[in-house]
Amino acid sequence: MIPSPLQAVFRILRLGGPALLFLVAAMGLAHGQTAPAHADYQRARYDPIHFKPAIDKATNTQCLACHAEVLEASVRNESTAGAKASQSKAWYQQVSTYQGEQDTFHRRHMSTAYAKQVMNLQCNTCHQGNDPRDEATGTSASNQNHRLTLRKMASAETTCLMCHGTMNSEIMGLPEPWPKSKVTFQNNCLLCHAGIRTNRHNVNYLNAAEIEKAGSKNADVCYGCHGARPWYRISFPFARNKWEGMAPDVPDWAKNRPTTSEPRFLSSTHLQGTAK
Ligand code: HEC
Ligand code: HEC
Ligand code: HEC
Ligand code: HEC
Ligand code: HEC
């Protein structure tokens, strides 16, 4: 903690000369520790790395130089009311792939064993830059380039929805939503997807081969990202990448769909940093 100037003055008045010397030394130390590459907090906060274009090239290592706490394990064992973390499982944690103790949001996406197995998320996969001075998108010339919900730092629409939408069972021709119809399909997505939309997951934030391996043993791997943790009541309009054996006719629902994954997810610059 860096004491505020007012607190410092009070302390000096109470304790006299020797404390002044100590205080000056301590403040210097605290500064040195919190912002390694920078003189002060404000400069670090407005470091160009937070904004476009620099954020697009930033590595995890660069971000973590100042934000190491983001990937530190920091979940309480018990809530202040006494509920034990180990006995509190939320509905979205009932998916069979959920393993281990309660963990933080960032660690569940970047550093747990399961996250590292199926994903390769980088800080800038989700953080595309936001303006801490003006947290409403589109109100000024410098705050136009992303679709953020008010006061949010990542886009639900373009990022979270990809893995947290509902399963589009209508276009798949399923008679009922997956939880009810899965028995009919031997609880196996690959019954159909061994031949349909097989050119999938070739993006820099997913481990495509590992996903296929794990998904062939347990459909919850697939369903986990395609309906089991739906924060939204809509499904993501996935790009329809051309696959081998694809029919030339485009179904009506797919007429406005892109035919390649989003370009920023195809570049390898996002692969420079590696999650801890
Ligand atoms: C030089 C140090 C430094 C670096 C490097 C850095 N940050 Fe920050 N960042 C800060 C400081 C200081 C703040 C303000 C923290 C606060 O108010 O709690 C901040 C705030 C943030 C916030 C919250 C913004 C808000 O609207 O309140 C996010 C998100 C963030 N940084 C992400 C990143 C990402 C992603 C990277 C890498 C691309 C990064 N930071 C690199 C120092 C840094
Ligand atoms: C899966 C997407 C995702 C990834 C990957 C991600 N973040 Fe975040 N981050 C978020 C979300 C969502 C929030 C909450 C922000 C909000 O309320 O809008 C957040 C919040 C933050 C904050 C604000 C303080 C806090 O803890 O709430 C900082 C700083 C931050 N992230 C830094 C990072 C850094 C550094 C990395 C890479 C090591 C990273 N993030 C990776 C989605 C992500
Ligand atoms: C590439 C896919 C992917 C993206 C993008 C993604 N998530 Fe997730 N998310 C997952 C997976 C997989 C899990 C389950 C992790 C587990 O079970 O260990 C998860 C779990 C969660 C959890 C529950 C964590 C817990 O402790 O159980 C929350 C909350 C969450 N995501 C929110 C978000 C938000 C908000 C965003 C956008 C900023 C986002 N996710 C983006 C794949 C993703
Ligand atoms: C009965 C066969 C069948 C089963 C079982 C099935 N799907 Fe599909 N799925 C389809 C068809 C058909 C399409 C649309 C193909 C096209 O683009 O023409 C599709 C499309 C998709 C898409 C792309 C959706 C979009 O909007 O572009 C995803 C993602 C998907 N399936 C995931 C899954 C997952 C995950 C499972 C298992 C939990 C599953 N599917 C089970 C037949 C099936
Ligand atoms: C970690 C999260 C995650 C897992 C696990 C996962 N998917 Fe996906 N899936 C995604 C994302 C994100 C996309 C969109 C990628 C893109 O933009 O190309 C996607 C795209 C797809 C598509 C559309 C492909 C296209 O480009 O036309 C299909 C079909 C699909 N997934 C089926 C599956 C099946 C089957 C499994 C299990 C073997 C599975 N998914 C497991 C996150 C996941």
Side-chain angles (χ1 to χ4, degrees):
M1 278 292 288
I2 303 168
S4 77
L6 204 64
Q7 282 173 325
V9 169
F10 279 129
R11 240 187 266 177
I12 293 159
L13 287 177
R14 262 202 325 259
L15 302 174
L20 178 63
L21 281 177
F22 172 75
L23 200 75
V24 169
M27 283 173 81
L29 194 68
H31 265 267
Q33 282 166 348
T34 47
H38 291 265
D40 62 63
Y41 174 83
Q42 286 304 336
R43 275 187 184 76
R45 189 172 188 203
Y46 287 97
D47 190 297
I49 201 172
H50 286 119
F51 311 100
K52 291 206 184 283
I55 197 162
D56 288 332
K57 294 246 155 62
T59 62
N60 291 352
T61 314
Q62 284 175 297
C63 304
L64 288 167
C66 296
H67 291 290
E69 83 288 351
V70 154
L71 287 186
E72 237 121 72
S74 54
V75 173
R76 285 166 170 275
N77 290 329
E78 212 176 288
S79 77
T80 41
K84 294 218 172 0
S86 58
Q87 288 160 21
S88 314
K89 288 266 157 69
W91 62 267
Y92 51 82
Q93 296 173 332
Q94 313 295 330
V95 188
S96 67
T97 53
Y98 183 87
Q99 298 291 325
E101 295 176 10
Q102 292 283 352
D103 215 331
T104 67
F105 167 89
H106 281 101
R107 287 170 54 84
R108 280 277 163 201
H109 287 92
M110 296 184 81
S111 48
T112 59
Y114 186 65
K116 284 179 170 167
Q117 184 190 346
V118 295
M119 304 187 280
N120 184 31
L121 287 167
Q122 310 295 302
C123 307
N124 61 6
T125 309
C126 298
H127 294 287
Q128 283 281 288
N130 68 306
D131 189 344
R133 198 185 282 131
D134 175 9
E135 294 274 20
T137 323
T139 54
S140 70
S142 65
N143 204 13
Q144 293 283 352
N145 54 354
H146 20 246
R147 288 186 284 166
L148 293 176
T149 311
L150 186 63
R151 273 186 259 112
K152 291 294 167 197
M153 303 157 201
S155 165
E157 210 177 335
T158 61
T159 311
C160 318
L161 185 59
M162 296 192 298
C163 301
H164 293 291
T166 55
M167 183 164 157
N168 197 338
S169 45
E170 291 92 59
I171 66 159
M172 297 190 209
L174 302 183
E176 280 182 295
W178 190 247
K180 286 201 179 142
S181 62
K182 66 180 182 185
V183 191
T184 315
F185 301 101
Q186 301 161 23
N187 194 12
N188 184 3
C189 312
L190 300 179
L191 216 53
C192 299
H193 284 288
I196 303 172
R197 303 281 289 265
T198 45
N199 179 11
R200 54 181 174 245
H201 304 140
N202 294 313
V203 283
N204 53 28
Y205 60 91
L206 294 176
N207 297 334
E210 286 301 319
I211 289 178
E212 292 307 314
K213 237 191 271 169
S216 66
K217 290 187 207 121
N218 181 1
D220 283 353
V221 171
C222 310
Y223 188 51
C225 287
H226 291 292
R229 302 179 196 94
W231 308 143
Y232 316 97
R233 291 188 187 183
I234 51 173
S235 45
F236 186 80
F238 292 104
R240 204 160 168 263
N241 286 288
K242 195 170 188 294
W243 72 93
E244 220 188 301
M246 177 184 182
D249 302 337
V250 179
D252 280 345
W253 62 263
K255 294 232 153 89
N256 295 324
R257 293 291 186 87
T259 51
T260 46
S261 310
E262 203 183 317
R264 81 176 178 105
F265 296 138
L266 300 173
S267 81
S268 58
T269 50
H270 290 264
L271 299 177
Q272 284 168 4
T274 38
K276 272 208 278 197

